[in-house]
Amino acid sequence: MTPEEIRLVRSSWSMIAERSDAFTARFYDHLFVIDAGAAQLFNGVDMTIQQWKLAQTLGVVVQALDDLDTLLPAVAALGRRHTRYGVLHHHFDSVGAALLQAFVDTLGQQFTPAVRAAWVRAYALVAAEMQKGLENAPPTLRIFNDRDAAG
Ligand code: HEM
């Protein structure tokens, strides 16, 4: 990412930070409409806590965008953990779309085309690394997930 893109991501996130509860609530609302399969993965999850975890993580990602040597291994580990949650590659498209919609809801006109483009770059970077983590997950976990899905 360019320094300008990083600046745009950071300045827009700082506008969200004080209303991150509303932002993450909108995000999950959109996600659950866009992707019923993704919604099922959150059955029984305390969404207030989950919203907080997501906001914290996005905050850390935003801070670390100029330090990829630190950021990318942490993100890959996060991706590996997502294997256990039953997450599949295609879910990342739904999450990306829901994030953009939540930004529109929360920032309105301040979510300019340039800010949007910067977030698309940042999300693509993070999602690709998380997906590598999914790919690198030990095969046993995949088998476990398959059995789990079969009931
Ligand atoms: C940029 C992308 C994403 C970020 C930053 C993110 C972040 C997180 C974080 C921080 C957690 C808390 C647990 C942990 O740290 O291991 C979590 C859990 C979870 N995430 Fe994600 N996630 C992302 C993408 C996805 C996708 C694509 C899905 C699929 C729908 C998903 C579904 C879940 C589920 C089901 C849990 C477990 C909730 C629970 O059982 O408590 N996440 N995520």
Side-chain angles (χ1 to χ4, degrees):
M1 294 181 69
T2 66
E4 176 62 6
E5 285 171 333
I6 294 175
R7 192 189 67 74
L8 290 174
V9 165
R10 285 185 175 157
S11 61
S12 55
W13 184 252
S14 72
M15 289 181 229
I16 299 257
E18 61 208 30
R19 26 188 175 141
S20 66
D21 284 357
F23 173 79
T24 50
R26 296 299 293 158
F27 162 72
Y28 285 109
D29 285 349
H30 285 300
L31 178 63
F32 294 174
V33 170
I34 293 170
D35 190 329
Q40 278 190 343
L41 302 180
F42 290 94
N43 277 345
V45 172
D46 181 331
M47 291 311 291
T48 307
I49 295 174
Q50 182 60 26
Q51 283 171 27
W52 184 83
K53 287 181 185 171
L54 179 66
Q56 293 299 309
T57 305
L58 289 176
V60 170
V61 167
V62 165
Q63 275 315 308
L65 279 176
D66 57 1
D67 182 10
L68 296 186
D69 289 348
T70 305
L71 177 63
L72 294 183
V75 168
L78 179 64
R80 278 196 293 281
R81 293 201 295 279
H82 278 66
T83 306
R84 273 187 274 142
Y85 310 142
V87 174
L88 302 172
H89 283 248
H90 70 84
H91 290 138
F92 282 88
D93 293 338
S94 310
V95 163
L99 267 181
L100 292 178
Q101 290 183 12
F103 275 117
V104 171
D105 292 347
T106 314
L107 292 181
Q109 305 257 338
Q110 289 171 310
F111 196 55
T112 62
V115 173
R116 184 189 180 95
W119 271 101
V120 166
R121 286 285 302 274
Y123 180 73
L125 188 82
V126 168
E129 205 62 25
M130 282 185 75
Q131 287 176 320
K132 278 189 212 161
L134 279 185
E135 276 157 10
N136 292 339
T140 48
L141 284 181
R142 287 175 188 248
I143 291 164
F144 172 78
N145 275 339
D146 290 344
R147 283 204 192 123
D148 222 27

